[in-house]
Amino acid sequence: MNKKAQVIRYLSFDFMAAAASWILFYIYRKQYIEPQRFGTDVPLEFTSRFYLGLLIVPTLWVLFYYWWGYYSDVYRKSRLLELGQTFLSSLIGVVILFFVLMLDDYVGSYKNYYQLFFTLLVLHFLLTYSFRLIQTSRIIHRIHSRKFGFNTLLIGGDEKALQIFQELSTQIRPAGFRFIGFLATGPNDASPLEAFLPKLGTLDDIPEVTEKYELEEVIIAIESSQHDLLTGILTSLQNRTLTIWGIPDLFDLLSGNAKTNAIYSSPLFKISNGIMPAWQANLKRLIDVSFSILAIVLFLPAYLVIAIWIKLDSHGPILYKQERIGRFGKPFTIYKFRTMIDEAEPHGPELSAPNDKRVTPVGQFLRRTHLDEIPQFYNVIKGEMSLVGPRPERKFFIDQIVKKAPHFTHLHKIRPGITSWGQVKYGYASTVDEMLKRLPYDLVYLKNISLYIDFKILIYTIISCFKGDGK
C-alpha cells in the first residue's frame, strides 16, 4: 500500500465526516433550535454563508488533525487508542467552534447552548470515528491476513533471536513484520537463524543493508544490558527513519522502562529516542516558521546596516555560505554574515580560536552579539534548521568527533538549531575537544526535548545577545 494514498484516504474521510456533521448540525439548528427563539418555523435555506462554512470548517478540522499528528503514522494505528484520540480531538475542536461561531446564535434559553454543543460533538465524533474505524480496520485486516507488512531486519543470531522470529512468524494475528534477513553480531557467528532467514552480513553492514532493502523496521534481538553493543547498533541506525524495536531484559521490566501496547505479539518495546510527540513537533515547526518570518521583517533595517558595514570594513561577500550536516545526516548550506576576512581557510577547514586575527572588527561585534547568525532564519523557513537544536557542524569535524564519541550521530535525529542548550551552557567551541565537552548538553536536550525547554533556551540566548558575551 502506498503511504501517500493512505494519508489521502484518511484525510478525505475526515473531510467528509466534518462536512456531513456540519450539514446535519445546520439542519438541527434551523429545525429545532431557532424555532424556539422565534416561536415559529424557520425556513431551511442553504445560504452562501452556509456553503462558505461548509468549505472552511472541514478544512480547519483537517488542519487541526494534521497539527495533532494524526496522519503521521497511518499504518500503525490501534482502533482502541484511535477511539480515545478521536473523542479528545473532537471535544477540543468543538469547544473552539462553540466559542468562535455559536455563542451569538439565536437561542430561546441557555439550555439551547448545551443542546447545540452536545449535538455537534456527538455528530462530529460518531461520523469521524465511524469513517476512521472502517479505514483502520481495513489496514489491520490486511496486516493480519499477511497481505501487507513492513520490511524488517532482525539484528542478532542466537537462540533468543530465533525465538523472537518464530513467535512473530507464527502469530495468530501478525504484527506486520516482513523479515528480509538478519545480521549477526559477530563476523564468524554460526546462527540457527540461517535455516529460516538469509544472513545479510554483520553489524558493519547496517548502513548498506538498510538502504538496499528499503527497511522500515528493525528488531534488535540482544539484551538491553549489553550496553556497548546496543549503543553501537543504535548509533549506526540514527540517521535513518526506521522504527526500532528491542527485547526487554529483567532490569527493563522491573524498572518500568519497557512499555508496549501489543497484546498478541511478543513483548517487544519501541526503543525511545526522546523525540517530541507529533503535535509538539508540528507546533515547534509552526513557531519556527512564524518567528523566523517575523524576525526577518523586524531585522530588515539591521540587515541593511550590517551589510553596508561589512562592505565598508573589508573586502569580500556580505554573506558567508558553508556546507553543514543537518537532520538525518543530510548536508545543507548554512548562511551567516561574514565575520572573517575573505578566503579565511586557505589550507582547509579551521575552527575560530580566541583572538583570531582572521576575524574583522565588524565580525568581532557581530560574534559577541550573535547578529552574524540572523541570516539563518532563512534556513529555518526552508526546513533545514530550527530555532533551537544542536548546532550543525561540518563533516570534516564530525568525522573527528565520531572517532572519539560515536554517539554524536544521535544529534542528527532532529533539525540543527540557531541556538542550543550546549551553546547556552558552554558557548562556541574553538576545538574538537571543546565540541566533545559541549556534546553532553546537546544529548541531554535530545532526551528532554520539549517546547518548554526550547523557550528557556531562547530566553537565555536573548539575554546572551544583549550581554554581548559571544565569541
Side-chain angles (χ1 to χ4, degrees):
M1 290 188 287
N2 182 277
K3 183 176 180 179
K4 289 184 179 179
Q6 293 303 316
V7 171
I8 292 173
R9 285 193 184 97
Y10 273 107
L11 190 148
S12 300
F13 276 134
D14 284 343
F15 188 92
M16 288 189 293
S21 62
W22 190 251
I23 292 172
L24 293 174
F25 177 69
Y26 180 82
I27 295 173
Y28 173 78
R29 290 163 65 193
K30 292 295 182 181
Q31 296 295 307
Y32 297 98
I33 300 299
E34 291 188 9
Q36 297 180 43
R37 170 68 173 82
F38 298 108
T40 183
D41 290 341
V42 176
L44 182 60
E45 297 178 349
F46 296 102
T47 63
S48 58
R49 184 178 179 183
F50 163 78
Y51 288 110
L52 182 62
L54 189 59
L55 174 64
I56 293 177
V57 172
T59 301
L60 292 176
W61 273 110
V62 170
L63 291 174
F64 176 61
Y65 295 139
Y66 173 78
W67 169 76
W68 191 277
Y70 180 77
Y71 307 115
S72 61
D73 192 0
V74 293
Y75 292 131
R76 286 295 192 187
K77 290 189 177 295
S78 161
R79 283 168 290 194
L80 187 59
L81 288 176
E82 194 168 57
L83 175 65
Q85 291 170 351
T86 303
F87 179 77
L88 182 59
S89 60
S90 297
L91 179 61
I92 294 173
V94 169
V95 167
I96 295 172
L97 282 175
F98 181 80
F99 281 101
V100 173
L101 299 179
M102 285 182 274
L103 279 182
D104 60 349
D105 268 12
Y106 297 111
V107 296
S109 70
Y110 73 91
K111 293 182 180 179
N112 293 144
Y113 282 122
Y114 296 115
Q115 293 171 331
L116 286 169
F117 177 84
F118 286 109
T119 298
L120 180 57
L121 176 61
V122 170
L123 285 172
H124 186 85
F125 166 69
L126 288 179
L127 287 171
T128 302
Y129 184 66
S130 296
F131 282 133
R132 288 180 174 182
L133 183 61
I134 294 170
Q135 179 66 5
T136 301
S137 296
R138 174 178 170 269
I139 294 174
I140 291 175
H141 174 73
R142 296 196 67 181
I143 291 175
H144 287 171
S145 60
R146 291 185 167 86
K147 294 178 181 178
F148 173 74
F150 312 96
N151 288 347
T152 304
L153 175 70
L154 188 60
I155 297 181
D158 59 9
E159 292 293 337
K160 186 175 290 292
L162 176 60
Q163 179 185 352
I164 290 293
F165 167 74
Q166 290 176 334
E167 287 184 14
L168 295 176
S169 300
T170 57
Q171 287 176 340
I172 298 174
R173 297 186 180 183
F177 297 113
R178 181 185 290 159
F179 290 98
I180 53 91
F182 77 98
L183 294 180
T185 55
N188 301 315
D189 291 351
S191 171
L193 264 176
E194 293 187 59
F196 304 92
L197 287 175
K199 181 179 178 180
L200 304 178
T202 63
L203 300 183
D204 294 334
D205 301 307
I206 287 178
E208 179 184 347
V209 170
T210 52
E211 292 184 11
K212 180 179 179 180
Y213 294 96
E214 298 181 349
L215 294 179
E216 299 167 271
E217 315 240 344
V218 173
I219 298 175
I220 304 176
I222 63 172
E223 302 284 0
S224 60
S225 57
Q226 296 176 269
H227 298 298
D228 292 340
L229 187 58
L230 185 59
T231 298
I233 294 171
L234 292 176
T235 298
S236 300
L237 295 170
Q238 289 313 312
N239 294 341
R240 290 158 180 83
T241 54
L242 299 167
T243 301
I244 305 173
W245 302 88
I247 55 174
D249 58 17
L250 182 60
F251 173 79
D252 295 317
L253 295 170
L254 294 177
S255 64
N257 291 331
K259 296 182 179 180
T260 180
N261 296 319
I263 300 299
Y264 285 96
S265 103
S266 295
L268 298 176
F269 68 99
K270 189 178 291 187
I271 295 179
S272 173
N273 53 13
I275 303 302
M276 287 177 163
W279 71 269
Q280 278 202 41
N282 290 333
L283 184 56
K284 176 180 171 72
R285 179 67 185 142
L286 178 63
I287 293 172
D288 282 346
V289 174
S290 302
F291 187 92
S292 297
I293 293 174
L294 179 63
I296 288 176
V297 173
L298 294 178
F299 276 112
L300 188 58
Y303 275 108
L304 297 175
V305 171
I306 292 172
I308 295 172
W309 197 6
I310 291 173
K311 271 297 183 184
L312 294 175
D313 183 64
S314 62
H315 171 74
I318 295 171
L319 292 178
Y320 177 67
K321 298 185 293 183
Q322 193 176 75
E323 186 180 89
R324 299 286 177 97
I325 302 301
R327 193 183 188 191
F328 303 132
K330 295 180 180 178
F332 71 98
T333 301
I334 195 173
Y335 298 92
K336 302 175 69 173
F337 280 123
R338 181 174 58 83
T339 59
M340 290 187 174
I341 58 173
D342 195 23
E343 302 295 336
E345 294 180 323
H347 306 297
E350 183 181 352
L351 292 169
S352 176
N355 302 316
D356 198 317
K357 295 182 179 179
R358 296 174 300 164
V359 179
T360 64
V362 173
Q364 291 176 355
F365 172 78
L366 295 179
R367 286 176 170 236
R368 286 198 306 271
T369 57
H370 301 279
L371 289 174
D372 59 320
E373 310 282 2
I374 59 177
Q376 290 165 39
F377 288 121
Y378 175 65
N379 290 113
V380 175
I381 293 173
K382 288 178 65 180
E384 297 164 337
M385 294 181 67
S386 177
L387 293 178
V388 180
R391 285 295 296 169
E393 302 293 348
R394 285 185 276 182
K395 188 177 184 303
F396 176 83
F397 297 110
I398 290 176
D399 291 342
Q400 297 180 51
I401 295 171
V402 168
K403 291 178 182 178
K404 299 180 179 180
H407 49 280
F408 177 87
T409 56
H410 287 234
L411 301 181
H412 292 155
K413 292 178 183 177
I414 56 177
R415 290 185 181 92
I418 294 178
T419 186
S420 70
W421 196 335
Q423 188 166 313
V424 167
K425 297 290 289 183
Y426 189 82
Y428 288 108
S430 55
T431 66
V432 171
D433 287 338
E434 289 184 357
M435 289 180 178
L436 291 169
K437 291 179 182 178
R438 189 177 65 185
L439 177 58
Y441 295 112
D442 289 328
L443 290 174
V444 169
Y445 171 76
L446 184 67
K447 300 301 293 184
N448 295 275
I449 184 170
S450 68
L451 294 176
Y452 169 72
I453 295 295
D454 278 10
F455 282 125
K456 290 193 69 172
I457 292 172
L458 286 172
I459 290 171
Y460 281 111
T461 299
I462 292 172
I463 293 173
S464 176
C465 291
F466 279 108
K467 285 183 176 180
D469 56 3
K471 60 180 181 179

